[in-house]
Amino acid sequence: MPERATSSKYRLSLGLKILLYSLLFLLLAWWGGRVAYDRAMQQLHVEGSDRLLNSIGQLRRSLGQYNYLPFLVAQNLQVRDFLRQPDEHNRTLVNRVLEQFNLVAGSTALFVLDPTGEALAYSNWRDESSQQLRSQWQQHYFQQALAGEQGQELQYQEDLETATFFMSAPIYDGGLVGVAVIRLDVPRLSEQLTTDHPLLVVSPTGELVFKSDLGWPLGQLESRLLSDGTRLQLVPHEDSMAIMHRVELDDLGWQVSTLTDIRPARQREQLVVASVLSGGVALGLLLLYLRESRQKRRLQLERLQERARSEEQQRDIINTAQVGLIHITPSGQVELVNPMAMQLFGVSAEQIRHQPVLNLLRAGFSARPLQQALGALGSERFQPLTGLEVVGQRADGSEFPMLISIRQMDRHPELGYLVTLIDISRRKRLEQALREANESLEQKVVARTQALQEAQAELVQAGKLAALGRMSASVVHELNQPMTAMRTYLAIAEKQLDNPDALVRNLRQQQQLLDRMALITGQLKTFAYRKPERIDPVSLQQVMEQVLQLFRGRFEELDLQLHFDPPPPDMKIAGDAARYEQVMINLIKNSCDAMSTRPGEHHLWISVQAIENGQMLLDVRDNGPGIEPEHRTQLFEPFFTTKEVGQGLGLGLAIVHSILRDLGGSIEPVDQAEGACFRLSMPLYQPRSE
């Protein structure tokens, strides 16, 4: 016990040290990852700032390519001559000049306006429509030029997806005689920018000027503070986050933004964490190896001591074992014997040592498995013998039953074999007593089983007679009334042979009585109806509409409020439309009959509850008197009814249960605080694959 406690304490101490060591390296890995991530973010911030400055420089250079064009047009002598004398000849010359300027500069269009904003000349005069030559008086860039300034304005098309940038300059000739304007489509401007990173330009009003390699609009910004005090703005980008660097151009008011993906920072963080953890695992394994080497040397010494104690304990166990143990050589000779074996046979160790083990059995006793096992001793053919029942013989000649087992010494085969002997005299006596008790019990069980079978047959016959009695009473009462009435009408008909009109009315009344009798027998036929051979898709919505149409008069009579949630038109159930209509008619009729006996408001709920495992669940619920607990187990039995005799055969719910069962569905009552509720499970239609 002290050694086991020391071992447990050692394992607990080692486990605690490993846990603390793991927590230390996890904390170190987390801290190293945070530091690496923070430094990587600082580096990305610097790189992003450089990209932003580079992008602004490119944008400035691109716009600078076009800034001179309005002044160049304003200083052109042919343009001034045209403004002094705006005839068709000069217009053609100026149009061609503007066309050449536009082609060389790569702008979208150049045009000349008079002081009223009307276009006089246009670079795209060959294909420009009149809509593009309308008056520019209201445009901001035109008003800036009239004020003697360089005009700049960003406009959007009607779809707000294409932006156009206008630049203008006044034309003087002894006074302001016109305005030179350049139009530049922003997509053409963005094509001149050579960027390998996401770039975004937004107008002062928040509208998109142009973008590259990113989505629009951007996601919600997040603020993050680095260890050096730098605050970064992060935005979602390509399933990750990116650092946004943004600056506003003073002259244009545009906001230029660049995005820098932070995934390299995440990768560096993961690399540092993995490196620290790998180093920790390697160092931990080295420490464990050194520790285990030390422990191994200590344990080897302890095992030697433990083996000596174990050998001593084994000798004590063998000597105190309650079974006989005999050590035999490969030749089958007894070598050692324990005290229990000597007690079983009534001999001493010297008497049986070096004797064949077969001498311990009854004279003339031969067991083939034992002979085979003893014959294979010392060879590879030997198979262990376990629990063979034999008869032993004591030194005084008495015999006793015993179990013998023979196994080879697994760890030291050269030592021979171990024979185990167990005296089973007491077990044999108990087996005999048990065998006699079992024979007696079997006779009692047979008699009791026969009695139970006879009682069960009597109960089944009584149930059949009870059901037959209920059916007979209901059918006889239901048929007696119309038969009695028919006898009366027949007697009256004999006296009305001379009155055809009265005779016709009499015959019609008899026809109604026959229809009623056919309805009663039809219920019995429906109950016995076979399962349909063909399964078709049935629209539950259409079935419900037809059934509810039949009950419209009954609903008005009861002043019933219907709460019906129609299922989708495309919801199809598998079966027969006529049989589903019969199911719903019986359930709604039962609810109406139940609520008719109760004053107050009447409500009926019909709704689809769920779709589960290819079955649609439909609830039919009312606020009637409900179902008595003692009647729940008999609800679906044929001819069971709580109505008075003559009010029904008791086949309604039995027919519903039978139809749904045949179609692969089911019905069950649902507990409610008020009224009755039945939940129908109907299979959804599954088209067969060709």
Side-chain angles (χ1 to χ4, degrees):
M1 289 297 294
E3 294 178 358
R4 185 176 300 175
T6 303
S7 178
S8 300
K9 183 178 180 181
Y10 164 73
R11 289 195 297 268
L12 179 61
S13 174
L14 179 59
L16 182 60
K17 290 179 180 179
I18 293 176
L19 177 60
L20 293 176
Y21 179 85
S22 301
L23 291 177
L24 175 63
F25 265 89
L26 286 175
L27 181 61
L28 183 61
W30 174 83
W31 177 80
R34 288 287 84 192
V35 171
Y37 174 78
D38 190 88
R39 292 183 179 177
M41 290 292 285
Q42 293 175 11
Q43 183 178 355
L44 292 176
H45 171 62
V46 174
E47 294 175 359
S49 300
D50 294 339
R51 289 197 188 100
L52 178 61
L53 293 177
N54 184 38
S55 299
I56 293 174
Q58 290 188 35
L59 182 61
R60 289 293 191 188
R61 287 191 295 272
S62 298
L63 289 174
Q65 297 177 7
Y66 304 101
N67 281 336
Y68 71 94
L69 283 178
F71 296 101
L72 183 61
V73 174
Q75 298 299 324
N76 188 271
L77 295 179
Q78 292 173 318
V79 172
R80 292 186 180 183
D81 292 341
F82 170 62
L83 292 176
R84 284 194 299 270
Q85 187 177 355
D87 54 19
E88 288 302 322
H89 175 71
N90 290 333
R91 185 191 305 274
T92 301
L93 292 176
V94 172
N95 282 342
R96 294 182 182 277
V97 170
L98 295 179
E99 185 179 35
Q100 291 298 323
F101 285 174
N102 187 56
L103 290 174
V104 173
S107 57
T108 303
L110 288 169
F111 52 92
V112 176
L113 307 176
D114 64 9
T116 65
E118 296 295 334
L120 299 179
Y122 202 79
S123 63
N124 296 354
W125 58 277
R126 298 180 186 272
D127 54 4
E128 193 65 29
S129 64
S130 59
Q131 178 68 17
Q132 294 172 308
L133 298 176
R134 62 185 177 211
S135 175
Q136 304 294 309
W137 175 261
Q138 299 294 335
Q139 303 302 328
H140 179 64
Y141 69 84
F142 180 75
Q143 295 295 329
Q144 286 179 308
L146 289 181
E149 301 175 357
Q150 179 186 5
Q152 293 179 343
E153 183 179 1
L154 185 68
Q155 295 184 1
Y156 290 87
Q157 303 296 331
E158 294 181 356
D159 56 4
L160 297 179
E161 293 183 358
T162 304
T164 305
F165 187 58
F166 291 88
M167 293 184 289
S168 62
I171 303 175
Y172 293 100
D173 189 11
L176 193 144
V177 294
V179 175
V181 180
I182 177 176
R183 190 182 81 182
L184 179 64
D185 288 344
V186 173
R188 181 173 297 184
L189 175 64
S190 63
E191 291 174 358
Q192 301 180 13
L193 301 179
T194 57
T195 58
D196 57 353
H197 54 273
L199 177 64
L200 175 68
V201 180
V202 181
S203 69
T205 59
E207 297 172 332
L208 177 66
V209 177
F210 67 86
K211 64 181 179 63
S212 66
D213 299 335
L214 53 78
W216 178 261
L218 297 177
Q220 186 177 1
L221 291 175
E222 296 181 9
S223 181
R224 187 164 298 177
L225 185 65
L226 300 181
S227 60
D228 61 351
T230 303
R231 183 169 296 278
L232 303 180
Q233 296 295 327
L234 302 183
V235 66
H237 175 63
E238 295 183 354
D239 300 331
S240 181
M241 301 293 289
I243 305 173
M244 172 177 279
H245 296 84
R246 179 168 52 191
V247 70
E248 182 176 341
L249 303 181
D250 296 336
D251 53 345
L252 299 175
W254 294 357
Q255 287 187 352
V256 182
S257 304
T258 59
L259 299 184
T260 303
D261 198 342
I262 68 169
R263 278 180 287 192
R266 291 292 186 191
Q267 294 172 356
R268 183 177 298 182
E269 177 186 18
Q270 294 171 0
L271 178 61
V272 171
V273 170
S275 299
V276 174
L277 291 179
S278 300
V281 170
L283 180 59
L285 292 176
L286 178 60
L287 293 176
L288 283 176
Y289 172 76
L290 296 176
R291 180 186 182 91
E292 290 301 319
S293 298
R294 239 181 3 259
Q295 294 293 337
K296 184 177 181 180
R297 290 192 296 270
R298 184 177 62 84
L299 289 176
Q300 287 176 349
L301 179 60
E302 292 179 354
R303 285 197 187 101
L304 293 176
Q305 298 173 352
E306 181 67 23
R307 179 178 298 177
R309 289 193 297 269
S310 176
E311 291 176 354
E312 184 178 355
Q313 291 175 356
Q314 289 175 5
R315 285 193 294 270
D316 291 340
I317 292 173
I318 291 173
N319 293 331
T320 57
Q322 295 302 305
V323 296
L325 297 177
I326 299 176
H327 175 213
I328 62 176
T329 63
S331 61
Q333 305 295 320
V334 176
E335 184 70 21
L336 295 174
V337 62
N338 74 333
M340 188 62 188
M342 292 187 289
Q343 180 181 346
L344 286 176
F345 294 97
V347 295
S348 63
E350 290 75 10
Q351 290 177 326
I352 62 174
R353 184 174 295 159
H354 305 305
Q355 297 293 325
V357 70
L358 286 177
N359 292 347
L360 300 176
L361 303 182
R362 183 183 62 186
F365 180 83
S366 63
R368 186 173 181 181
L370 179 60
Q371 294 286 351
Q372 292 177 347
L374 294 176
L377 293 179
S379 67
E380 296 181 354
R381 295 183 292 104
F382 175 78
Q383 295 294 332
L385 180 66
T386 303
L388 178 64
E389 187 173 332
V390 296
V391 178
Q393 186 173 9
R394 299 185 179 93
D396 59 1
S398 61
E399 300 176 353
F400 66 96
M402 67 177 181
L403 293 179
I404 184 171
S405 300
I406 303 176
R407 296 187 65 88
Q408 189 175 20
M409 303 287 188
D410 293 335
R411 293 188 177 182
H412 303 282
E414 70 279 1
L415 296 180
Y417 301 85
L418 180 66
V419 178
T420 305
L421 304 171
I422 301 177
D423 186 358
I424 56 173
S425 301
R426 185 171 179 273
R427 194 189 77 177
K428 285 294 185 179
R429 291 192 295 271
L430 293 176
E431 286 179 355
Q432 181 63 28
L434 181 61
R435 189 179 302 108
E436 295 174 356
N438 285 339
E439 292 176 356
S440 175
L441 182 60
E442 286 177 359
Q443 296 175 357
K444 294 180 180 179
V445 169
V446 171
R448 185 61 176 170
T449 301
Q450 184 176 0
L452 288 175
Q453 290 175 347
E454 294 174 356
Q456 184 178 8
E458 293 177 359
L459 288 175
V460 171
Q461 183 65 22
K464 292 181 180 179
L465 292 175
L468 181 61
R470 291 197 300 269
M471 179 192 72
S472 301
S474 298
V475 173
V476 168
H477 189 278
E478 292 289 341
L479 295 179
N480 275 340
Q481 288 183 348
M483 290 174 63
T484 302
M486 287 181 66
R487 293 191 188 98
T488 302
Y489 286 131
L490 288 173
I492 295 173
E494 292 178 357
K495 298 178 180 181
Q496 292 178 342
L497 294 176
D498 298 332
N499 188 350
D501 295 337
L503 183 60
V504 169
R505 289 193 301 272
N506 185 290
L507 293 175
R508 288 177 179 173
Q509 291 173 341
Q510 293 187 51
Q511 181 64 39
Q512 293 176 357
L513 292 173
L514 288 173
D515 292 341
R516 180 179 174 186
M517 296 172 69
L519 178 63
I520 295 171
T521 58
Q523 288 185 343
L524 295 173
K525 181 179 179 181
T526 301
F527 176 71
Y529 192 68
R530 294 177 60 191
K531 180 177 180 181
E533 298 179 356
R534 181 175 177 181
I535 300 299
D536 296 322
V538 178
S539 172
L540 180 60
Q541 185 184 49
Q542 185 176 358
V543 169
M544 293 304 304
E545 289 176 354
Q546 294 179 1
V547 171
L548 294 177
Q549 184 69 23
L550 297 176
F551 284 92
R552 180 172 297 178
R554 185 69 186 277
F555 291 164
E556 293 178 356
E557 177 185 345
L558 293 176
D559 191 19
L560 183 143
Q561 297 185 23
L562 177 65
H563 307 276
F564 175 52
D565 185 12
D570 58 348
M571 180 176 288
K572 304 293 184 181
I573 52 179
D576 182 0
R579 306 196 77 191
Y580 279 123
E581 290 178 4
Q582 181 70 34
V583 168
M584 300 311 302
I585 288 173
N586 287 353
L587 290 176
I588 296 176
K589 181 179 181 300
N590 283 353
S591 296
C592 293
D593 292 345
M595 290 186 287
S596 64
T597 63
R598 184 173 183 178
E601 295 183 352
H602 299 149
H603 295 270
L604 179 64
W605 293 268
I606 304 176
S607 60
V608 176
Q609 296 299 314
I611 302 294
E612 295 180 355
N613 300 325
Q615 298 279 330
M616 182 190 66
L617 304 183
L618 178 74
D619 281 4
V620 179
R621 181 166 60 93
D622 59 53
N623 65 336
I627 304 171
E628 298 295 335
E630 61 270 16
H631 295 157
R632 286 181 175 269
T633 58
Q634 298 175 285
L635 284 176
F636 305 112
E637 292 183 3
F639 309 109
F640 172 77
T641 179
T642 58
K643 301 176 183 178
E644 297 180 358
V645 177
Q647 299 298 320
L649 292 179
L651 288 177
L653 288 178
I655 290 174
V656 170
H657 181 268
S658 177
I659 290 175
L660 291 177
R661 180 194 61 203
D662 292 344
L663 294 175
S666 63
I667 181 173
E668 61 181 5
V670 180
D671 293 334
Q672 296 288 329
E674 180 184 16
C677 178
F678 289 93
R679 177 159 296 170
L680 285 68
S681 174
M682 295 176 284
L684 294 175
Y685 181 74
Q686 302 291 341
R688 295 183 179 179
S689 59
E690 295 297 336

